[in-house]
Structures are given as C-alpha cells and as structure tokens.
Amino acid sequence: MSSLVSLCPTVTPNPTDPADHLSAAPSTRTPESLAYSYAIPGEPHAVAIARTSVHNALAAHGLADLLPPALQATGELVACAALFEPGQVLYLSVGWQQEGVRIVVWDPHTRHVDPDSSAKCAARRNKMLYLLACVVHECKGSWGMIRPAPAREGTRVWVNLPRQGAADYAAALC
C-alpha cells in the first residue's frame, strides 16, 4: 500500500475527516520523484522566481549538492527566453532523468519563414547561451535547442546535468 493519501473519498480506502491528513508527516522525496513545471512571466524578475523555484525543488529532493550549476543554468535559460519573448508566458520544468537533473525552458518564439532569418535567430540564441554552454561542459552534461517545427510554435532549450559532474563542479567553486 502506498504511503500517499488522497483526500478523495472514492480513492481513500477508509474515508476519514480531511483534517486527519494534515497532521501526517510528509513523504520522503527522492531524486527520482523530482518533477516540477512552472509557468513564469517573460520579464527580468522571472529569473529570480525561476531560480528560487528550482532551488526549493532540488533542496526538497536532497539535491542541494547540485544547486550552483542548476541555478546558473536556470538563470541563463530563463533570461534568454525572456529576452526573446518579453512579456510572454514561459514554461520551466525541472526533473530527474538518467542520474541527473534535466531543466527545460520553453518560450513561444516561432520559427522564421525565411531560412536566413531563422539561422541568424538560432545563432543569436546560441551566442547568448555561451555561459550556459561553459557550465554544462564543466559538469560533463549536455544541452540543446529544439526549434519549432513549421506548424508548431515555440522553442525549447534543455540542459542535462549529471549528478556527479554537477556535484564536482559545485564543490570546485567553494
């Protein structure tokens, strides 16, 4: 039987007063259960909101050793997306994948019709993410950009930070 409790009376085997659930100790969070998504504004202050959200999620899952590179990556991704689509809603997700943290930021920047404009736009985004590329390289991770397909909207930029590489990077900073 799972240690998770639902307030829905059709799911809970023995319906009880909902207040009984509030005193239960929170379940232990593991890295494998790290899976959060956030909608954030495409504004300069969104970087602080995103970094705080990722900090809280990683700390809650016992991943404080990954905070420096994960927060750096988050800040770079969100800042870049906010500059490409100011005032628009951005989506940030952080999760656990293949023994590491995966961070993805989506913005609604659409593909340009002209191939030259599209290439220039991608080159500008890559140039803006140079510091991100350096951090990811030092962590022995990977990153990339998924440009929008012709009939789809938005651009996703993702980062994979392996736990050991990111922890080594963080330890070297201190």
Side-chain angles (χ1 to χ4, degrees):
M1 188 169 128
S2 172
S3 64
L4 300 177
V5 178
S6 172
L7 292 179
C8 177
T10 62
V11 174
T12 306
N14 298 317
T16 58
D17 180 5
D20 293 343
H21 298 292
L22 298 177
S23 61
S27 62
T28 303
R29 296 183 181 114
T30 64
E32 293 79 13
S33 65
L34 179 71
Y36 296 90
S37 295
Y38 309 94
I40 53 176
E43 303 292 339
H45 69 277
V47 172
I49 294 168
R51 287 172 51 98
T52 299
S53 299
V54 170
H55 179 281
N56 292 339
L58 293 178
H61 288 267
L63 297 168
D65 55 332
L66 307 182
L67 286 173
L71 297 181
Q72 182 70 54
T74 300
E76 296 295 318
L77 291 172
V78 172
C80 181
L83 288 170
F84 268 82
E85 287 295 329
Q88 299 298 312
V89 175
L90 312 175
Y91 293 94
L92 164 70
S93 67
V94 59
W96 188 255
Q97 181 178 324
Q98 300 173 355
E99 296 302 312
V101 171
R102 180 172 175 91
I103 302 166
V104 180
V105 172
W106 177 90
D107 65 64
H109 191 73
T110 58
R111 171 174 255 165
H112 299 278
V113 176
D114 175 42
D116 289 337
S117 296
S118 186
K120 287 178 185 176
C121 189
R124 176 168 288 159
R125 192 182 292 255
N126 280 331
K127 188 174 183 179
M128 288 179 66
L129 294 171
Y130 180 73
L131 180 58
L132 170 77
C134 293
V135 170
V136 171
H137 174 77
E138 290 298 316
C139 293
K140 297 172 181 54
S142 59
W143 75 282
M145 179 176 17
I146 302 170
R147 289 184 277 266
R152 298 181 68 199
E153 187 177 290
T155 301
R156 286 184 291 158
V157 183
W158 54 267
V159 171
N160 290 328
L161 298 172
R163 185 169 196 172
Q164 189 59 54
D168 292 346
Y169 172 85
L173 294 177
C174 298

